Short mmCIF file of all heavy atoms in Angstrom, two decimals:
data_model
loop_
_atom_site.label_atom_id
_atom_site.label_comp_id
_atom_site.label_asym_id
_atom_site.label_seq_id
_atom_site.Cartn_x
_atom_site.Cartn_y
_atom_site.Cartn_z
N ARG X 1 -16.69 -14.47 15.23
CA ARG X 1 -17.65 -15.12 14.34
C ARG X 1 -18.79 -14.15 14.05
O ARG X 1 -19.06 -13.24 14.83
CB ARG X 1 -18.20 -16.40 14.98
CG ARG X 1 -17.19 -17.54 15.11
CD ARG X 1 -17.75 -18.68 15.93
NE ARG X 1 -17.98 -18.26 17.31
CZ ARG X 1 -18.87 -18.83 18.12
NH1 ARG X 1 -19.64 -19.82 17.70
NH2 ARG X 1 -19.01 -18.40 19.35
N PHE X 2 -19.45 -14.39 12.92
CA PHE X 2 -20.52 -13.49 12.48
C PHE X 2 -21.74 -14.29 12.06
O PHE X 2 -21.62 -15.38 11.50
CB PHE X 2 -20.05 -12.62 11.31
CG PHE X 2 -21.16 -11.80 10.68
CD1 PHE X 2 -21.56 -10.61 11.26
CD2 PHE X 2 -21.81 -12.25 9.54
CE1 PHE X 2 -22.59 -9.86 10.70
CE2 PHE X 2 -22.83 -11.51 8.97
CZ PHE X 2 -23.22 -10.31 9.55
N VAL X 3 -22.93 -13.72 12.31
CA VAL X 3 -24.16 -14.35 11.84
C VAL X 3 -25.09 -13.29 11.26
O VAL X 3 -25.27 -12.23 11.85
CB VAL X 3 -24.87 -15.13 12.97
CG1 VAL X 3 -25.27 -14.22 14.14
CG2 VAL X 3 -26.10 -15.88 12.43
N GLN X 4 -25.62 -13.57 10.07
CA GLN X 4 -26.65 -12.71 9.51
C GLN X 4 -27.99 -13.10 10.13
O GLN X 4 -28.39 -14.26 10.09
CB GLN X 4 -26.73 -12.84 7.99
CG GLN X 4 -27.75 -11.90 7.36
CD GLN X 4 -27.88 -12.08 5.86
OE1 GLN X 4 -27.49 -13.11 5.31
NE2 GLN X 4 -28.43 -11.08 5.18
N MET X 5 -28.68 -12.11 10.70
CA MET X 5 -29.93 -12.42 11.40
C MET X 5 -30.71 -11.13 11.62
O MET X 5 -30.14 -10.06 11.80
CB MET X 5 -29.63 -13.07 12.75
CG MET X 5 -30.85 -13.62 13.47
SD MET X 5 -30.40 -14.26 15.12
CE MET X 5 -29.23 -15.55 14.67
N GLN X 6 -32.02 -11.24 11.59
CA GLN X 6 -32.88 -10.12 11.95
C GLN X 6 -33.27 -10.25 13.42
O GLN X 6 -33.64 -11.33 13.87
CB GLN X 6 -34.13 -10.10 11.08
CG GLN X 6 -33.87 -9.80 9.61
CD GLN X 6 -35.14 -9.81 8.80
OE1 GLN X 6 -35.95 -10.73 8.90
NE2 GLN X 6 -35.33 -8.79 7.98
N LEU X 7 -33.23 -9.14 14.14
CA LEU X 7 -33.62 -9.18 15.55
C LEU X 7 -35.10 -9.53 15.72
O LEU X 7 -35.50 -10.02 16.77
CB LEU X 7 -33.33 -7.82 16.22
CG LEU X 7 -31.87 -7.40 16.30
CD1 LEU X 7 -31.75 -6.10 17.08
CD2 LEU X 7 -31.02 -8.48 16.94
N GLU X 8 -35.90 -9.26 14.69
CA GLU X 8 -37.32 -9.62 14.76
C GLU X 8 -37.53 -11.13 14.73
O GLU X 8 -38.62 -11.61 15.09
CB GLU X 8 -38.08 -8.99 13.58
CG GLU X 8 -37.90 -7.49 13.43
CD GLU X 8 -36.80 -7.14 12.44
OE1 GLU X 8 -35.62 -7.35 12.76
OE2 GLU X 8 -37.14 -6.68 11.32
N ASP X 9 -36.52 -11.87 14.31
CA ASP X 9 -36.59 -13.34 14.21
C ASP X 9 -36.31 -13.94 15.58
O ASP X 9 -35.21 -14.41 15.87
CB ASP X 9 -35.57 -13.82 13.17
CG ASP X 9 -35.64 -15.31 12.91
OD1 ASP X 9 -36.39 -16.01 13.62
OD2 ASP X 9 -34.94 -15.77 11.99
N LYS X 10 -37.33 -13.93 16.43
CA LYS X 10 -37.16 -14.31 17.83
C LYS X 10 -36.66 -15.73 18.01
O LYS X 10 -35.78 -16.00 18.84
CB LYS X 10 -38.48 -14.12 18.59
CG LYS X 10 -38.36 -14.40 20.10
CD LYS X 10 -39.68 -14.17 20.81
CE LYS X 10 -39.52 -14.34 22.32
NZ LYS X 10 -38.99 -15.66 22.70
N GLY X 11 -37.18 -16.66 17.24
CA GLY X 11 -36.79 -18.06 17.40
C GLY X 11 -35.32 -18.29 17.14
O GLY X 11 -34.63 -18.96 17.92
N THR X 12 -34.81 -17.72 16.05
CA THR X 12 -33.40 -17.90 15.71
C THR X 12 -32.51 -17.16 16.69
O THR X 12 -31.43 -17.64 17.07
CB THR X 12 -33.14 -17.40 14.27
OG1 THR X 12 -34.08 -18.01 13.38
CG2 THR X 12 -31.74 -17.76 13.81
N LEU X 13 -32.96 -15.98 17.14
CA LEU X 13 -32.20 -15.21 18.12
C LEU X 13 -32.10 -15.96 19.45
O LEU X 13 -31.03 -16.04 20.06
CB LEU X 13 -32.85 -13.84 18.34
CG LEU X 13 -32.09 -12.86 19.24
CD1 LEU X 13 -30.79 -12.41 18.58
CD2 LEU X 13 -32.98 -11.65 19.57
N ASP X 14 -33.20 -16.54 19.88
CA ASP X 14 -33.20 -17.31 21.13
C ASP X 14 -32.22 -18.49 21.06
O ASP X 14 -31.51 -18.79 22.03
CB ASP X 14 -34.60 -17.82 21.45
CG ASP X 14 -35.50 -16.73 22.04
OD1 ASP X 14 -34.98 -15.65 22.37
OD2 ASP X 14 -36.72 -16.97 22.17
N LYS X 15 -32.19 -19.16 19.92
CA LYS X 15 -31.27 -20.29 19.76
C LYS X 15 -29.82 -19.83 19.88
O LYS X 15 -28.98 -20.53 20.46
CB LYS X 15 -31.51 -20.98 18.41
CG LYS X 15 -32.82 -21.77 18.35
CD LYS X 15 -33.00 -22.40 16.97
CE LYS X 15 -34.33 -23.14 16.90
NZ LYS X 15 -34.56 -23.70 15.53
N LEU X 16 -29.53 -18.67 19.33
CA LEU X 16 -28.17 -18.12 19.41
C LEU X 16 -27.79 -17.88 20.87
O LEU X 16 -26.71 -18.26 21.32
CB LEU X 16 -28.09 -16.82 18.61
CG LEU X 16 -26.72 -16.13 18.61
CD1 LEU X 16 -25.70 -16.94 17.82
CD2 LEU X 16 -26.84 -14.71 18.04
N PHE X 17 -28.68 -17.25 21.62
CA PHE X 17 -28.42 -16.98 23.04
C PHE X 17 -28.29 -18.27 23.84
O PHE X 17 -27.40 -18.40 24.69
CB PHE X 17 -29.54 -16.13 23.64
CG PHE X 17 -29.32 -14.65 23.50
CD1 PHE X 17 -29.50 -14.00 22.28
CD2 PHE X 17 -28.96 -13.89 24.59
CE1 PHE X 17 -29.31 -12.64 22.15
CE2 PHE X 17 -28.77 -12.52 24.49
CZ PHE X 17 -28.94 -11.89 23.26
N GLU X 18 -29.15 -19.23 23.57
CA GLU X 18 -29.13 -20.50 24.29
C GLU X 18 -27.82 -21.25 24.05
O GLU X 18 -27.24 -21.83 24.98
CB GLU X 18 -30.31 -21.37 23.85
CG GLU X 18 -30.41 -22.68 24.59
CD GLU X 18 -31.61 -23.51 24.15
OE1 GLU X 18 -32.16 -23.25 23.06
OE2 GLU X 18 -31.99 -24.43 24.89
N THR X 19 -27.33 -21.21 22.82
CA THR X 19 -26.12 -21.94 22.45
C THR X 19 -24.84 -21.25 22.92
O THR X 19 -23.93 -21.90 23.43
CB THR X 19 -26.06 -22.12 20.92
OG1 THR X 19 -27.23 -22.80 20.47
CG2 THR X 19 -24.83 -22.91 20.51
N GLU X 20 -24.80 -19.93 22.78
CA GLU X 20 -23.55 -19.20 22.96
C GLU X 20 -23.28 -18.75 24.39
O GLU X 20 -22.13 -18.53 24.77
CB GLU X 20 -23.49 -18.00 22.01
CG GLU X 20 -23.45 -18.38 20.54
CD GLU X 20 -22.24 -19.23 20.19
OE1 GLU X 20 -21.14 -18.97 20.72
OE2 GLU X 20 -22.40 -20.16 19.39
N LYS X 21 -24.33 -18.53 25.17
CA LYS X 21 -24.16 -18.15 26.60
C LYS X 21 -23.24 -16.93 26.75
O LYS X 21 -22.14 -17.00 27.30
CB LYS X 21 -23.64 -19.34 27.41
CG LYS X 21 -24.61 -20.52 27.42
CD LYS X 21 -24.05 -21.72 28.17
CE LYS X 21 -25.10 -22.81 28.32
NZ LYS X 21 -25.69 -23.25 27.05
N PHE X 22 -23.73 -15.79 26.30
CA PHE X 22 -22.95 -14.56 26.31
C PHE X 22 -22.79 -13.99 27.72
O PHE X 22 -23.66 -14.11 28.56
CB PHE X 22 -23.63 -13.51 25.42
CG PHE X 22 -23.77 -13.92 23.99
CD1 PHE X 22 -25.02 -14.21 23.45
CD2 PHE X 22 -22.66 -14.04 23.17
CE1 PHE X 22 -25.16 -14.60 22.13
CE2 PHE X 22 -22.79 -14.43 21.84
CZ PHE X 22 -24.05 -14.71 21.33
N ASP X 23 -21.65 -13.33 27.93
CA ASP X 23 -21.42 -12.58 29.17
C ASP X 23 -22.00 -11.18 29.09
O ASP X 23 -22.39 -10.60 30.10
CB ASP X 23 -19.92 -12.47 29.46
CG ASP X 23 -19.26 -13.82 29.65
OD1 ASP X 23 -19.78 -14.61 30.46
OD2 ASP X 23 -18.24 -14.08 28.99
N ALA X 24 -22.01 -10.62 27.89
CA ALA X 24 -22.50 -9.26 27.70
C ALA X 24 -23.07 -9.12 26.29
O ALA X 24 -22.67 -9.84 25.37
CB ALA X 24 -21.38 -8.24 27.91
#
């Protein structure tokens, strides 16, 4: 899966991490 996002967008990035629970 792919998502367009800026790393500077902390709020949206945090939501991605919270939802997806990455291993790496």
